[in-house]
């Protein structure tokens, strides 16, 4: 076990069963990149009766639990309605938002834009064209009114919680150790949060990688060393999950050997709302 920046790193080869080797009967917090890994890990967890139980989280759930407030936290599905209520007539006309039903795609890109700035700790995106800057100014104006409306109603959201740095570690106070499994995507905001937490907890990053492939200071992959003997890997790009699935089924029909489809694009962060080709729905554009 090696230590860098108050975080502990341990590396495993591709043949090792991480869950079997790491998950123990001792109470700890376990965090996974996706829910499927979490479910698989639970199969290896066999706590003693009446003992303190470990906690298992997906990384998304863990990040959401880290911030809290005395105010009511609005769920994601409620946010578009509040957002729509603060738009003025001119904005609704420009955005071609005629009713609540039209707000959802714009809402996703609106919150996605400010989450991107927050996660990467950007005060602004520089070098924008005039039309893009106009769009940003409009977004900032809408955001100000949206957050004021939340305050008036006594509500808050994840964006405001992180802006106010309302870090909540109470749900972790019974534990000393936090384990992250094969998580290699760290935004600057989350890196800073982990460093802050490392003064109170032992934080272990378990990585199924070669040590030289991972930069422990930057918390990012620099290269990927595959096993000497591996199955055939093909990398393909499709414009939609439906097309990916169709291509996979076609391949499966023509090949006798077993095929496995791995989707590498669960989350691609970008400022879509500043795209020149942005389409809100088939008859709208921003």
């Amino acid at each position: 076990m090696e230590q860098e920046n108050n975080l502990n790193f341990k590396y495993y080869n591709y043949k090792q069963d991480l869950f079997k080797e790491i998950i123990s009967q001792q109470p700890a917090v376990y965090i996974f990149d996706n829910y499927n890994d979490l479910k698989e890990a639970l199969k290896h967890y066999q706590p003693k009766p009446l003992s303190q139980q470990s906690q298992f989280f997906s990384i998304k759930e863990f990040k959401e639990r880290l911030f809290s407030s005395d105010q009511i936290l609005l769920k994601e599905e409620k946010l578009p309605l509040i957002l729509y209520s603060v738009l003025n007539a001119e904005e609704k006309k420009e955005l071609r938002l005629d009713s609540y039903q039209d707000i959802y795609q714009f809402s996703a890109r609106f919150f996605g834009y400010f989450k991107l700035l927050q996660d990467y700790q950007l005060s602004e995106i520089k070098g924008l064209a005039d039309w893009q800057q106009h769009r940003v100014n409009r977004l900032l104006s809408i955001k100000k009114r949206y957050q004021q409306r939340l305050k008036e109603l006594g509500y808050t959201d994840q964006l405001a919680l992180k802006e106010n740095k309302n870090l909540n570690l109470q749900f972790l106070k019974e534990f000393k150790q936090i384990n992250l499994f094969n998580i290699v995507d760290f935004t600057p905001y989350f890196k800073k949060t982990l460093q802050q937490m490392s003064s109170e907890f032992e934080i272990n990053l378990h990585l199924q990688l070669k040590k030289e492939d991972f930069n422990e200071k930057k918390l990012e992959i620099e290269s990927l060393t595959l096993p000497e003997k591996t199955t055939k890997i093909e990398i393909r790009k499709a414009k939609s999950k439906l097309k990916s699935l169709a291509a996979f089924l076609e391949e499966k029909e023509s090949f006798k050997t077993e095929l496995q489809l791995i989707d590498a694009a669960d989350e691609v962060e970008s400022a879509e709302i500043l795209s020149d080709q942005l389409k809100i729905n088939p008859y709208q554009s921003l």
Side-chain angles (χ1 to χ4, degrees):
M1 187 86 65
E2 297 189 23
Q3 187 166 344
E4 184 80 18
N5 289 338
N6 299 320
L7 304 177
N8 300 307
F9 300 85
K10 189 170 183 181
Y11 299 91
Y12 304 82
N13 64 48
Y14 293 106
K15 294 182 180 180
Q16 289 178 276
D17 187 334
L18 268 65
F19 304 146
K20 185 176 181 180
E21 293 196 23
I22 300 165
I23 295 174
S24 69
Q25 295 181 356
Q26 298 300 316
V29 175
Y30 298 101
I31 304 170
F32 304 87
D33 187 52
N34 56 72
Y35 190 65
N36 287 334
D37 283 354
L38 187 155
K39 289 194 297 183
E40 187 65 28
L42 284 172
K43 297 177 183 178
H44 294 79
Y45 181 54
Q46 298 178 339
K48 294 180 180 179
L50 304 179
S51 64
Q52 181 185 351
Q53 304 290 294
S54 294
Q55 293 291 314
F56 292 73
F57 300 98
S58 68
I59 186 65
K60 183 177 185 296
E61 182 185 9
F62 182 72
K63 288 179 178 179
E64 291 175 351
R65 290 284 300 273
L66 278 177
F67 298 90
S68 67
S69 169
D70 293 334
Q71 296 173 297
I72 299 173
L73 177 64
L74 278 186
K75 294 184 178 180
E76 289 185 8
E77 57 266 27
K78 301 292 185 181
L79 301 181
L81 303 181
I82 303 293
L83 182 62
Y84 184 83
S85 72
V86 303
L87 298 176
N88 58 42
E90 181 181 353
E91 289 165 342
K92 291 177 183 177
K93 182 178 179 181
E94 287 184 6
L95 298 172
R96 299 181 183 178
L97 303 176
D98 300 322
S99 69
Y100 284 120
Q101 285 71 32
D102 300 331
I103 188 65
Y104 291 97
Q105 287 189 27
F106 170 74
S107 174
R109 291 181 171 121
F110 174 87
F111 290 109
Y113 171 73
F114 288 108
K115 182 178 183 297
L116 180 72
L117 295 183
Q118 192 176 73
D119 283 344
Y120 289 89
Q121 299 189 307
L122 302 172
S123 58
E124 60 179 342
I125 296 179
K126 298 181 180 180
L128 298 177
D130 290 343
W131 64 268
Q132 289 176 314
Q133 189 60 56
H134 169 73
R135 188 172 290 176
V136 167
N137 293 340
R138 180 170 60 195
L139 293 174
L140 291 171
S141 175
I142 294 172
K143 180 190 175 189
K144 184 177 181 180
R145 281 176 275 136
Y146 161 78
Q147 292 190 325
Q148 180 60 35
R149 179 62 57 84
L150 283 184
K151 185 177 180 180
E152 292 170 356
L153 296 172
Y155 298 147
T156 189
D157 64 3
Q158 282 290 335
L159 197 66
L161 289 179
K162 290 174 71 176
E163 283 183 354
N164 296 328
K165 297 181 173 60
N166 291 348
L167 187 62
N168 165 40
L169 301 179
Q170 282 296 108
F171 73 105
L172 301 171
K173 66 178 182 179
E174 296 180 354
F175 303 97
K176 296 180 179 179
Q177 187 183 95
I178 298 175
N179 298 279
L180 290 84
F181 283 75
N182 272 339
I183 294 175
V184 294
D185 183 16
F186 297 90
T187 64
Y189 190 96
F190 190 50
K191 290 178 187 178
K192 189 174 181 180
T193 303
L194 280 182
Q195 289 297 337
Q196 184 177 346
M197 293 172 59
S198 68
S199 63
E200 299 187 38
F201 303 93
E202 175 190 337
I203 299 181
N204 303 313
L205 277 70
H206 303 280
L207 302 170
Q208 211 156 17
L209 294 169
K210 292 280 189 180
K211 184 179 186 301
E212 54 269 24
D213 288 345
F214 192 75
N215 188 316
E216 296 178 355
K217 291 184 178 180
K218 296 181 179 179
L219 294 184
E220 61 186 38
I221 290 181
E222 293 192 329
S223 60
L224 183 61
T225 304
L226 295 174
E228 292 183 6
K229 293 183 179 180
T230 185
T231 54
K232 182 180 179 182
I233 298 176
E234 292 187 12
I235 300 176
R236 300 188 182 186
K237 180 179 179 181
K239 293 184 178 180
S240 71
K241 290 184 179 293
L242 183 60
K243 289 182 178 179
S244 296
L245 181 59
F248 173 71
L249 293 175
E250 184 178 349
E251 292 281 349
K252 190 173 179 63
E253 287 292 326
S254 59
F255 279 82
K256 294 181 180 180
T257 56
E258 184 178 351
L259 297 177
Q260 183 179 11
L261 176 65
I262 300 175
D263 184 1
D266 287 338
E267 289 187 21
V268 178
E269 294 186 278
S270 62
E272 290 183 285
I273 205 162
L274 301 183
S275 169
D276 191 22
Q277 302 297 323
L278 178 63
K279 297 295 181 182
I280 298 302
N281 63 36
Y283 58 88
Q284 299 170 353
S285 64
L286 183 58

